[in-house]
Amino acid sequence: EEARASQEEFSGKLIVVGGKEIHRGITGILASRLAKYFHAPAIVIAILDGRAVGSARSVSGMHIKKFLDRMADLFIDYGGHDFAAGFSFELGRYEEFLVKVRQIVPAMKESEEQSALEIDAELPEKYMTPSLRNIIDLFKPYGEGNPPLTFVARNAFIAELKFIGKKEQNHVKMLVETGSTKWPAVFWNAAERVGRDFSLNDRVDIAFRLSVNTYQNQETLQMNVLDIAK
């Protein structure tokens, strides 16, 4: 639940979890699993003996070491590379760490949006079925040098559309039809684009990644929308 709340707070661009119940020995493993599950960079922090010790993993879109460089004065020590890093800081600076993260993430998002998307495949309608998950699983594990697959589906129909968000409803949740398949979809930080770039009942081209949501032991495939064009 903490990871899902973090996903919403950071508009799907970052996951941050931490606590005393997290063992130091599994922060890296947990960060890797969260990054793969949410298809977003993940930071996991263990709290022990007056220090916060964390691991960070990235799947694409964010060079995690450069991310940590922007708050280097906070750490006792840190290091790593583009897709994996570790750090520690005094526990009393935990809130300061979260404040810095909240300041950095929006700026990094803006720079990402200015770059072109790299599309792995344009999928004909007949391939837009739940069996697409089998193809995605063949390319695992995702990580450094192997980012999650990005697809384009053309002439998709927006059957349902609503705004979501705890503080401000600046995210968009949709039901997208591609042939006989209906896909739950979320488009982070895109509320201002509704009515301008796309609307309910539009036919659109969608760039997306596919994720699996698990709730009450049931798995649902979901589109994580990266961009939409008419």
Side-chain angles (χ1 to χ4, degrees):
E1 291 302 319
E2 184 179 352
R4 291 190 182 279
S6 181
Q7 180 191 39
E8 181 166 324
E9 178 180 2
F10 297 118
S11 300
K13 300 295 181 182
L14 181 68
I15 307 298
V16 180
V17 299
K20 294 179 180 179
E21 71 279 7
I22 299 176
H23 191 278
R24 172 67 185 96
I26 66 166
T27 57
I29 296 172
L30 186 53
S32 293
R33 290 186 177 179
L34 288 174
K36 291 174 184 176
Y37 182 83
F38 289 100
H39 296 306
I43 296 174
V44 176
I45 301 172
I47 295 175
L48 41 102
D49 299 329
R51 289 201 308 164
V53 181
S55 296
R57 299 291 185 269
S58 185
V59 289
S60 66
M62 180 190 290
H63 290 176
I64 205 70
K65 173 61 165 52
K66 292 180 181 178
F67 180 82
L68 297 179
D69 285 342
R70 298 180 66 174
M71 58 179 87
D73 60 324
L74 182 73
F75 300 122
I76 298 172
D77 56 65
Y78 78 107
H81 52 77
D82 287 350
F83 287 89
F87 59 87
S88 67
F89 56 85
E90 295 177 2
L91 184 56
R93 305 188 74 178
Y94 198 102
E95 286 302 318
E96 184 181 352
F97 169 79
L98 294 177
V99 168
K100 287 181 178 292
V101 169
R102 293 184 184 110
Q103 291 172 343
I104 293 171
V105 169
M108 296 189 74
K109 178 187 72 65
E110 290 170 3
S111 65
E112 288 168 10
E113 288 184 344
Q114 293 172 359
S115 60
L117 288 173
E118 294 186 7
I119 306 299
D120 293 294
E122 179 180 327
L123 298 178
E125 191 173 272
K126 66 179 181 179
Y127 290 105
M128 288 296 299
T129 68
S131 62
L132 182 58
R133 180 182 178 182
N134 298 331
I135 296 174
I136 292 172
D137 288 345
L138 290 174
F139 287 83
K140 291 181 177 179
Y142 297 109
E144 184 176 6
N146 188 35
L149 298 174
T150 300
F151 301 110
V152 165
R154 299 199 182 277
N155 201 37
F157 180 70
I158 302 177
E160 296 178 12
L161 186 153
K162 66 178 181 180
F163 300 104
I164 59 172
K166 289 185 177 180
K167 296 180 181 179
E168 298 180 5
Q169 293 192 320
N170 53 356
H171 315 304
V172 180
K173 188 174 183 179
M174 298 174 285
L175 187 67
V176 175
E177 295 182 4
T178 57
S180 61
T181 305
K182 297 180 179 180
W183 303 86
V186 62
F187 195 0
W188 299 103
N189 215 34
E192 64 180 18
R193 296 184 58 181
V194 175
R196 183 189 71 194
D197 299 329
F198 63 94
S199 302
L200 181 66
N201 297 326
D202 273 352
R203 289 277 179 182
V204 295
D205 298 336
I206 297 182
F208 68 96
R209 290 177 180 155
L210 205 61
S211 64
V212 180
N213 285 336
T214 303
Y215 180 70
Q216 294 182 344
N217 295 322
Q218 290 190 342
E219 293 186 341
T220 303
L221 292 176
Q222 174 181 278
M223 280 185 175
N224 289 331
V225 178
L226 303 178
D227 202 1
I228 290 180
K230 288 186 181 181

